Amino acid sequence: MELHDVWFVLIAVLWIGYFFLEGFDFGVGVLTKLLARDRTEKRVLINTIGPVWDGNEVWLLSAGGATFAAFPEWYATLFSGFYLPLLLILICLIVRGVAFEYRAKRPEERWQTNWEHAIFWTSLLPALLWGVAFGNIVRGVKIDAQKEYVGNFWDLLNPYSILGGLVTLTLFTFHGTVFTALKTVGDIRMRARKLALTLGLLTAVLALGFLGWTQADNGDGKSLAAMIVAVVALVAAIVAIKLGREGWSFALSGLTIVAAVAMLFLTLFPNVMPSSLNDDWSLTVTNASSTPYTLKIMTWCAGIATPVVLLYQSWTYWVFRKRIGTQHIAPDLPADAAH
């Protein structure tokens, strides 16, 4: 296996890790409107991801940085062609981080409500747009002979990519609902279980349609195997949450994300960004990669840094592993007490 193939696999792993981890905290952000009944329950939901959400985004930074260094042509075409949706995702991630940090800085109800609205929308939109973006990458976009994107924003809004966006939105929300059931106690835990059943069934219908469409267009035996794993894992996650086995359900919903994203990358390889105008103009792991020397240096750096990141993040999840409920939330201070 050549180094550019290795780095394609590593980038796929980084995206899988990002969607597995950021997926549930996007889902929890969406649940602040779907599940929480009052401000205290919203605080419970936010506190379940408070210690880990920023660490989850490290995987996105790593995936973007690895793409820039290992496949500069892919990075350039992707970020120029998908400029508007990626900019919108970036703005959402920035505002979302600010909302987590600033929501509790003042006790006024209006102040906190506005930031809670921001958390909801900046969780929902990226969850949708990542699916649209990856749907277009797999389907192929208008790339010319100079390896430049020549389409427009509206070309990215096609039935296949929109279905992909709905799948990531519902799948991440389901993943987040199962995570909520795993991390909470009391009534909110019971309601999370019930909501997870409904979301799981909706996700299963949408995911089966999207993955089946992907397999029919670009699939082979390996991608079919990944699709089967994704579908079976999703059904098993629904059964597990029905039985009250939240830990198993979370692991299985995570496996669904892993297998589904792996399927997309399996159907993509050896392309990294297919051209819908001419197959010969597609970006591949060969014509979009950096020099072998650059890839070699990157491999050494990744081999040293990756274990450190994994150990630190694992330690963070272990430290904040306990369940929480409304009884663990301190009452809000009145507005005049903050002065």
Side-chain angles (χ1 to χ4, degrees):
M1 180 180 287
E2 299 289 339
L3 275 179
H4 51 65
D5 297 329
V6 171
W7 272 97
F8 179 85
V9 174
L10 291 176
I11 288 171
V13 170
L14 290 171
W15 280 110
I16 288 170
Y18 173 66
F19 287 141
F20 181 97
L21 296 171
E22 189 86 305
F24 71 73
D25 67 47
F26 280 149
V28 171
V30 173
L31 291 179
T32 58
K33 292 289 187 185
L34 297 185
L35 184 65
R37 290 178 173 173
D38 54 35
R39 170 147 296 112
T40 301
E41 290 192 349
K42 289 180 180 179
R43 290 174 64 188
V44 170
L45 291 175
I46 293 170
N47 285 356
T48 63
I49 59 173
V52 298
W53 68 268
D54 49 353
N56 294 343
E57 292 188 355
V58 170
W59 291 77
L60 174 61
L61 299 175
S62 299
T67 303
F68 172 77
F71 299 99
E73 290 281 358
W74 183 12
Y75 183 92
T77 304
L78 176 64
F79 278 77
S80 60
F82 291 27
Y83 178 80
L84 284 178
L86 292 178
L87 177 62
L88 182 56
I89 290 173
L90 178 61
I91 292 172
C92 285
L93 295 180
I94 293 171
V95 173
R96 187 167 177 264
V98 173
F100 282 131
E101 297 297 331
Y102 276 67
R103 183 193 61 84
K105 295 298 184 183
R106 290 171 57 179
E108 291 87 353
E109 182 176 352
R110 182 175 180 182
W111 171 272
Q112 295 192 5
T113 298
N114 288 339
W115 286 120
E116 287 162 1
H117 287 319
I119 290 172
F120 170 76
W121 287 109
T122 57
S123 297
L124 185 148
L125 287 175
L128 175 70
L129 291 174
W130 278 128
V132 173
F134 270 83
N136 278 291
I137 291 173
V138 173
R139 173 179 174 266
V141 292
K142 295 179 179 179
I143 298 175
D144 64 12
Q146 285 71 47
K147 310 297 190 241
E148 294 181 0
Y149 178 73
V150 293
N152 56 52
F153 172 77
W154 301 109
D155 291 329
L156 303 178
L157 301 179
N158 52 78
Y160 176 79
S161 66
I162 292 173
L163 178 58
L166 293 174
V167 169
T168 52
L169 175 59
T170 54
L171 180 56
F172 291 169
T173 307
F174 171 69
H175 194 40
T177 308
V178 174
F179 178 79
T180 299
L182 179 64
K183 286 286 292 179
T184 58
V185 295
D187 181 58
I188 193 169
R189 177 187 179 189
M190 297 299 105
R191 283 188 282 115
R193 283 185 186 177
K194 184 176 180 181
L195 180 59
L197 292 175
T198 302
L199 287 172
L201 294 173
L202 176 60
T203 302
V205 172
L206 293 173
L208 185 60
F210 177 71
L211 297 180
W213 191 345
T214 303
Q215 178 65 25
D217 281 353
N218 304 301
D220 56 15
K222 293 178 181 178
S223 62
L224 178 60
M227 174 183 169
I228 292 172
V229 171
V231 173
V232 172
L234 180 55
V235 173
I238 297 170
V239 173
I241 198 67
K242 175 69 173 178
L243 298 175
R245 302 300 297 271
E246 293 125 341
W248 279 104
S249 184
F250 180 72
L252 288 164
S253 66
L255 178 58
T256 303
I257 293 173
V258 170
V261 179
M263 179 192 177
L264 296 182
F265 277 94
L266 285 168
T267 59
L268 189 60
F269 186 81
N271 293 322
V272 294
M273 205 164 178
S275 172
S276 59
L277 301 178
N278 189 323
D279 288 340
D280 293 334
W281 298 343
S282 297
L283 296 176
T284 69
V285 293
T286 303
N287 65 24
S289 70
S290 295
T291 64
Y293 181 75
T294 299
L295 297 178
K296 185 177 180 179
I297 296 298
M298 289 177 59
T299 303
W300 279 104
C301 293
I304 296 170
T306 302
V308 176
V309 173
L310 291 176
L311 286 172
Y312 171 76
Q313 197 158 24
S314 298
W315 176 79
T316 302
Y317 277 94
W318 175 256
V319 169
F320 295 100
R321 67 189 181 278
K322 293 184 178 180
R323 295 176 182 267
I324 63 172
T326 54
Q327 66 270 31
H328 301 115
I329 302 298
D332 286 319
L333 291 174
D336 56 359
H339 301 291

